[in-house]
Amino acid sequence: MTSQTLRDARRYEEAMAQNITDQERPEFHLSPRVGWMNDPNGFSYYKDKFHLYYQYYPYDSQWGPMHWGHVVSDDLLHWEYLPSAIAPDMPYDYVGCFSGSAIELPDGKQLFMYTGVRKEAQPDGGVRDIQTQCLATGDGMDYEKDPRNPILTVEDMPENSSPFDFRDPKMWKCEDGSYRCVTVNDRADGTGGRILLYRSEDGYNWKFESVMLSNDGNFGKMWECPDFFSLDGKDVVLVSPQDMLPKDFEYHNGDGTLCLIGKFDETTKTFIPESDQAVDYGIDFYAMQTVEAPDGRRIMIGWMQNWDTCSNNRIPKGKWFGQMSIPRELSIKDGRLIQKPVREIENLRTDKVEYKNVTFENDLKLDGVSGRCVDLELTLRPGNTEDIYKKFAVRFAQNEQYHTAVSFRPYESVLKIDRKFSGSRRAIIHQRRSKVNSRNGEIKLRLILDRYSAEIFVNDGEHVLTATIYTDIEADGISFFADGKVEMDVTRYELKK
């Protein structure tokens, strides 16, 4: 039975979406149908299509009571908007239907588990948000919330657990037909996030198994949006820590991303990390979620935004806010998470322009190398091996007034993205740096540019730096700069849906 709250949201988004033209949106990155978007939810393959749900407030381009928006795709690049899937319409979730996941049940139904949020008076006289886990089942279009909701509460957590920070369930099906779920939770004293593991035989009745992994203050404070999967012979935990402190070039201040590679111990039901790294080293990437595609690929998508900048990055306020990253194929190589744009993006390539062995210093422009929806591949080598260049930069979304730049200093082996000249009028984060692998000034860069974003893949996916930009769309120049002599191969494609 569809609630009035959900019917209202569906009518509103259907009417207001007609006021947003394709030219006002990214070309191939997903944006909300209307209003506000944040975390990806329920990333799944169901009824022969990829389904993606997302944290959604249709009524404004700022955060509000969370609904679940809904899109489907055959190729992860062409997305069809469907009506909102769920809305905050029950006593246990009226503050919002927060993040969660989706699986297919044996009867063919799709099952959601999501975090329901309500307010509750506290003994000290204050009012706090209480977070619990809830279920809904449906057919890929309409969903019915479980009458037993909430199905996981503070009673289902270990001792010393906070009822205020218990969220973001990620489910998966095991080989024996049972189900597992991880959620994040803070200790009652607020000393750090941890990942809780639950088990179910049918997807509906869940029991606590273990504290799978504790933060213990190593990576920020509270964790959000956990994911857990096996990949290339290893087990992987992805999570988004809040309030990070920097660690050399590996992590940045604020809300960040974390990948832990290691092994899950079946006896103790705990995860044993062997290595750690950031998932994205740029400015705008958070709350990633993965799906296993029918062909076995592990594919990840993330919210292409930063909580510290999202309220004031786009001025004047637009008809929509928030984008998802390009979906990325994951692998592990030499103990490191590797990310590459989904191979389907190659089907969008047109108008190839190629240059080989271009040697230059100072400023350079190349005929046919421009655009705001571009796949740009660069291979750099020193033009003089006896005197390696000091700096290389590529500038894009450029005209006489604006540009965003990616620069590389080989002696430091540091890559930087810088959007301070992109048109922003606010003192937000404009630069991020990453320590990358380079030998004698050699490096490979792949820039995926859309109208309002840039994703830079380094050395075939060893590092990725992501940033949103809201530069005037007419600024479409691309140029190069070298302090010293650089030899460069360039391949540029236009990207069109």
Side-chain angles (χ1 to χ4, degrees):
M1 186 72 176
T2 304
S3 70
Q4 186 64 48
T5 303
L6 184 57
R7 289 197 299 271
D8 289 345
R10 288 178 167 184
R11 279 196 296 265
Y12 183 87
E13 65 183 0
E14 177 74 22
M16 298 306 291
Q18 298 177 34
N19 299 325
I20 306 175
T21 66
D22 288 344
Q23 289 69 37
E24 293 176 285
R25 296 185 180 276
E27 176 71 15
F28 51 90
H29 286 79
L30 177 65
S31 58
R33 193 173 188 181
V34 298
W36 167 276
M37 164 193 282
N38 60 283
D39 304 359
N41 299 155
F43 195 19
S44 53
Y45 192 79
Y46 178 65
K47 291 187 175 179
D48 300 321
K49 287 185 179 293
F50 290 99
H51 288 249
L52 183 66
Y53 307 84
Y54 54 90
Q55 292 287 274
Y56 180 44
Y57 185 59
Y59 300 109
D60 197 349
S61 56
Q62 296 191 36
W63 192 94
M66 287 290 97
H67 301 53
W68 275 29
H70 187 191
V71 290
V72 295
S73 177
D74 294 318
D75 65 357
L76 297 162
L77 295 169
H78 296 82
W79 295 100
E80 176 190 356
Y81 292 106
L82 296 183
S84 295
I86 54 176
D89 52 17
M90 299 297 288
Y92 50 78
D93 67 14
Y94 72 91
V95 172
C97 301
F98 282 18
S99 291
S101 54
I103 56 173
E104 184 174 355
L105 297 172
D107 62 4
K109 291 182 179 179
Q110 191 176 43
L111 176 70
F112 292 165
M113 188 188 294
Y114 69 96
T115 299
V117 184
R118 71 180 193 277
K119 290 188 179 295
E120 186 175 284
Q122 300 300 302
D124 63 3
V127 176
R128 295 288 301 272
D129 287 349
I130 302 296
Q131 300 182 345
T132 58
Q133 312 318 313
C134 307
L135 299 176
T137 53
D139 59 2
M141 182 68 75
D142 297 304
Y143 293 83
E144 183 174 346
K145 296 178 181 178
D146 196 295
R148 295 166 293 183
N149 282 341
I151 53 96
L152 290 176
T153 70
V154 68
E155 303 298 326
D156 303 289
M157 291 187 279
E159 292 183 4
N160 188 33
S161 292
S162 166
F164 316 123
D165 290 298
F166 174 46
R167 55 185 176 271
D168 308 340
K170 177 64 191 291
M171 299 182 290
W172 67 93
K173 188 174 184 178
C174 301
E175 291 184 0
D176 64 2
S178 64
Y179 303 90
R180 296 291 186 281
C181 171
V182 287
T183 67
V184 284
N185 164 246
D186 199 357
R187 296 178 176 89
D189 57 8
T191 55
R194 53 190 180 179
I195 295 178
L196 309 183
L197 178 66
Y198 293 84
R199 177 187 174 97
S200 174
E201 301 304 320
D202 58 5
Y204 292 98
N205 298 281
W206 293 85
K207 291 186 178 180
F208 171 76
E209 276 205 324
S210 67
V211 177
M212 194 177 88
L213 181 65
S214 291
N215 181 14
D216 297 326
N218 293 321
F219 303 100
K221 293 184 177 180
M222 178 60 186
W223 285 353
E224 295 193 306
C225 302
D227 205 339
F228 177 69
F229 52 88
S230 296
L231 183 66
D232 296 335
K234 292 291 186 178
D235 296 320
V236 179
V237 168
L238 301 180
V239 72
S240 294
Q242 296 180 320
D243 302 314
M244 294 276 278
L245 291 173
K247 180 182 175 183
D248 298 324
F249 289 95
E250 192 57 48
Y251 302 105
H252 302 297
N253 305 71
D255 295 345
T257 58
L258 172 64
C259 171
L260 296 167
I261 299 173
K263 199 66 182 174
F264 179 73
D265 187 321
E266 286 285 355
T267 302
T268 62
K269 306 300 181 185
T270 58
F271 178 80
I272 304 169
E274 298 169 358
S275 64
D276 64 90
Q277 67 178 89
V279 178
D280 195 286
Y281 295 81
I283 303 170
D284 296 303
F285 191 84
Y286 194 73
M288 53 277 165
Q289 193 170 98
T290 72
V291 64
E292 184 178 3
D295 60 9
R297 288 178 294 166
R298 177 64 57 170
I299 297 173
M300 177 183 72
I301 198 167
W303 182 42
M304 198 162 57
Q305 198 54 63
N306 183 312
W307 280 115
D308 289 335
T309 65
C310 62
S311 63
N312 54 16
N313 195 10
R314 191 171 188 180
I315 296 173
K317 189 170 68 173
K319 301 173 186 176
W320 58 268
F321 187 87
Q323 303 170 70
M324 295 300 174
S325 71
I326 199 78
R328 303 173 184 177
E329 298 181 17
L330 303 183
S331 61
I332 294 176
K333 181 180 178 181
D334 299 328
R336 184 167 185 84
L337 183 72
I338 304 298
Q339 307 168 59
K340 297 182 180 181
V342 285
R343 63 196 67 173
E344 286 84 351
I345 198 170
E346 296 175 12
N347 297 327
L348 306 187
R349 287 173 163 179
T350 64
D351 303 328
K352 179 180 180 180
V353 176
E354 188 172 28
Y355 292 88
K356 293 286 189 180
N357 302 317
V358 177
T359 301
F360 74 104
E361 49 188 323
N362 298 318
D363 294 302
L364 173 70
K365 290 187 178 181
L366 295 171
D367 289 342
V369 178
S370 64
R372 286 287 287 271
C373 298
V374 169
D375 190 344
L376 183 66
E377 297 178 343
L378 307 175
T379 301
L380 307 180
R381 300 173 292 274
N384 181 352
T385 56
E386 302 300 320
D387 185 16
I388 296 176
Y389 63 96
K390 296 179 178 63
K391 178 182 177 181
F392 166 86
V394 52
R395 296 167 180 148
F396 52 89
Q398 183 180 29
N399 61 12
E400 292 79 6
Q401 186 175 6
Y402 304 122
H403 72 265
T404 297
V406 173
S407 61
F408 175 61
R409 295 182 180 272
Y411 285 97
E412 303 169 24
S413 205
V414 169
L415 190 79
K416 180 173 73 173
I417 188 164
D418 185 344
R419 66 179 180 193
K420 64 178 175 289
F421 296 111
S422 67
S424 169
R425 296 180 182 273
R426 291 292 184 267
I428 61 173
I429 301 166
H430 290 315
Q431 299 178 356
R432 283 278 167 82
R433 298 187 298 166
S434 177
K435 189 92 167 181
V436 299
N437 291 321
S438 172
R439 183 178 179 182
N440 298 325
E442 297 180 3
I443 191 171
K444 293 176 67 176
L445 303 175
R446 183 178 180 186
L447 284 68
I448 304 292
L449 308 180
D450 204 342
R451 293 186 178 112
Y452 307 108
S453 64
E455 294 171 83
I456 295 87
F457 296 81
V458 185
N459 292 333
D460 297 316
E462 287 181 352
H463 292 74
V464 189
L465 293 85
T466 301
T468 57
I469 56 173
Y470 296 102
T471 311
D472 290 349
I473 203 69
E474 293 78 13
D476 65 353
I478 296 175
S479 67
F480 307 94
F481 168 80
D483 182 358
K485 189 175 289 186
V486 168
E487 185 178 270
M488 176 175 66
D489 301 334
V490 180
T491 306
R492 173 266 191 198
Y493 299 91
E494 188 80 12
L495 294 174
K496 297 180 180 178
K497 282 200 297 187

